[in-house]
Amino acid sequence: MKIQIINKSEHALPNYETIASAGMDLRASIPESITLNPLERAIVKTGLFIELPIGYEAQVRPRSGLAAKKGVTVLNSPGTIDADYRGEIGVILVNLSNEAFVVENGERIAQLIIAKHERAEWTEVEVLTETSRGEGGFGSTGVK
């Protein structure tokens, strides 16, 4: 699949690091570093603008290494970029650690995954089909 992209950053286009990678790293494209103190959040720009085909979305997800090593993650994970959005891709980062984290220009801050999606059509009814689970949720299946 080919996707149109405008790159206003000074960094290379996102790419798949291995043949089996699902995501491509997004890099910060910022004029100066951003310090995220504990529990602070910021929208970090990437300099990238994309045009997705209808029926596809781009998902912005955390990088596992950044989350595990630094406690920094994507706040609205996964963030969704719709096919009709034409603005710059921004990543909402949050620092969940006890130490300040500095985002530098060019730093890998998130992953981008391109995914096909369906559009639902609602059918209003008065009753739903019964199941053995019923209304049980939030741990009702015994998983702790």
Side-chain angles (χ1 to χ4, degrees):
M1 151 186 289
K2 292 189 182 276
I3 295 174
Q4 294 185 36
I5 186 167
I6 295 171
N7 184 1
K8 292 186 178 180
S9 80
E10 59 192 53
H11 313 297
L13 291 177
N15 66 304
Y16 298 100
E17 295 295 329
T18 70
I19 190 70
S21 295
M24 300 171 268
D25 288 335
L26 291 174
R27 295 182 180 273
S29 179
I30 50 180
E32 55 188 43
S33 62
I34 298 171
T35 299
L36 287 176
N37 290 310
L39 300 180
E40 279 190 331
R41 63 187 177 273
I43 298 175
V44 181
K45 298 296 188 168
T46 63
L48 301 174
F49 302 75
I50 60 175
E51 184 176 329
L52 295 167
I54 292 174
Y56 287 84
E57 67 166 324
Q59 300 175 0
V60 179
R61 298 185 184 180
R63 291 192 62 244
S64 58
L66 197 56
K69 295 174 185 172
K70 300 293 184 177
V72 174
T73 189
V74 175
L75 187 57
N76 64 325
S77 179
T80 296
I81 300 169
D82 295 308
D84 58 353
Y85 177 67
R86 294 296 183 267
E88 183 175 1
I89 296 174
V91 178
I92 306 170
L93 288 183
V94 63
N95 181 358
L96 299 177
S97 77
N98 294 322
E99 299 175 9
F101 177 77
V102 178
V103 181
E104 302 288 354
N105 184 41
E107 185 159 1
R108 297 180 300 157
I109 56 170
Q111 292 186 78
L112 188 71
I113 294 176
I114 307 300
K116 192 170 189 164
H117 67 80
E118 300 294 328
R119 285 185 57 95
E121 185 177 315
W122 298 110
T123 302
E124 239 180 304
V125 297
E126 297 295 322
V127 179
L128 299 176
T129 306
E130 290 189 30
T131 66
S132 60
R133 181 176 183 174
E135 294 181 16
F138 298 105
S140 66
T141 59
V143 178
K144 294 181 181 181

